[in-house]
Amino acid sequence: MKKFVIALGMAAAIAAGTLSVSAENFWKYSDTITIDMDETKVKQTTNGHEILSFVAVEAIEGGTCTYTYAYDRTAGTITVVEMEKETKSLHYTSNFTPASINSRNPVIRQRAKMAEDVYQRKVNKKK
């Protein structure tokens, strides 16, 4: 529910043209994708894996598509834990299995690059 409220607020702000993207909170990663850096987390698992989790909201025609990602830097995988697409006439969620960041699939490679960019921004902010 929290992601839904964030997504709606961001979509409304983007649609109204009033979203002030700040380096401290919202990062406008691209023309259509915004990431709330305050919601981005990096953690170590008990088996030594470093995991980045973050939410990216993509503005699409008539709505938003909210992606929750898990980027396992140790295993070299990116996972869409949840994808929620919402427009006036459509609402659904889906998820995907982990994929290697070295995949030949250009979509997976773009997601992996975005995840690494988010990771670097998050880690460098802490220093």
Side-chain angles (χ1 to χ4, degrees):
M1 182 66 169
K2 182 178 178 182
K3 291 184 288 188
F4 176 71
V5 172
I6 290 170
L8 280 179
M10 288 173 62
I14 290 168
T18 61
L19 180 65
S20 84
V21 178
S22 128
E24 295 300 314
N25 297 320
F26 296 104
W27 178 29
K28 188 150 176 68
Y29 181 77
S30 70
D31 289 342
T32 59
I33 298 173
T34 303
I35 298 164
D36 183 348
M37 293 302 293
D38 287 343
E39 294 294 318
T40 301
K41 308 285 186 252
V42 177
K43 70 177 184 175
Q44 292 279 349
T45 65
T46 55
N47 63 354
H49 285 242
E50 186 174 35
I51 309 288
L52 167 75
S53 59
F54 68 102
V55 175
V57 178
E58 182 178 20
I60 59 173
E61 186 174 334
T64 59
C65 199
T66 304
Y67 298 90
T68 303
Y69 290 102
Y71 172 42
D72 185 332
R73 293 186 82 238
T74 309
T77 61
I78 182 82
T79 307
V80 176
V81 177
E82 182 179 79
M83 178 195 75
E84 181 176 21
K85 187 172 191 175
E86 187 161 6
T87 66
K88 286 184 178 184
S89 61
L90 178 70
H91 181 236
Y92 71 91
T93 60
S94 186
N95 58 37
F96 302 87
T97 58
S100 170
I101 62 171
N102 297 316
S103 169
R104 291 180 180 224
N105 183 323
V107 173
I108 293 171
R109 292 181 71 89
Q110 288 171 344
R111 288 177 177 165
K113 182 191 178 318
M114 177 175 61
E116 183 61 26
D117 291 346
V118 172
Y119 174 82
Q120 291 300 325
R121 187 174 181 101
K122 183 70 172 182
V123 169
N124 291 327
K125 179 185 172 196
K126 289 182 180 179
K127 291 182 180 178

